[in-house]
Amino acid sequence: FIHNLKPSDPSIFFRTPHELLLIIYLLPVVIVAALLLRLALFLLKKSIRVALWVIRKSALLLKLLVVWLWNRTVRNRPLSQYP
């Protein structure tokens, strides 16, 4: 059976022409799905980085605010209140 087939005959790889059409139509869908998955992972990584940056900067600003308030309250006390 295989010896009677020509190399250009698609029936070597596919049993019916519908399988060939399915592969032809599904190939772009798979490519687009892979690209969308890559985009989603890229956006997820970037959003996690931005969230961590915001948390770090917020913690730094909170620390600076606490230090500023501490210095303001300590400096405004009269000398008689110091031990």
Side-chain angles (χ1 to χ4, degrees):
F1 173 71
I2 293 179
H3 300 293
N4 296 336
L5 296 174
K6 298 175 185 173
S8 62
D9 191 6
S11 63
I12 293 175
F13 304 107
F14 306 105
R15 287 172 284 197
T16 65
H18 300 293
E19 290 179 2
L20 179 61
L21 285 174
L22 182 67
I23 297 297
I24 289 172
Y25 287 126
L26 278 183
L27 187 62
V29 172
V30 169
I31 290 172
V32 168
L35 290 174
L36 284 174
L37 180 65
R38 285 185 64 190
L39 177 66
L41 291 176
F42 172 77
L43 291 176
L44 182 66
K45 285 183 201 175
K46 289 296 179 183
S47 62
I48 289 173
R49 280 186 176 177
V50 168
L52 289 176
W53 180 81
V54 166
I55 290 170
R56 285 185 193 127
K57 291 300 175 184
S58 299
L60 178 65
L61 289 175
L62 182 64
K63 177 185 167 187
L64 290 174
L65 178 67
V66 167
V67 168
W68 179 75
L69 288 174
W70 177 260
N71 284 335
R72 186 169 171 231
T73 55
V74 168
R75 286 185 183 167
N76 288 338
R77 289 194 319 189
L79 287 176
S80 61
Q81 291 183 354
Y82 286 103

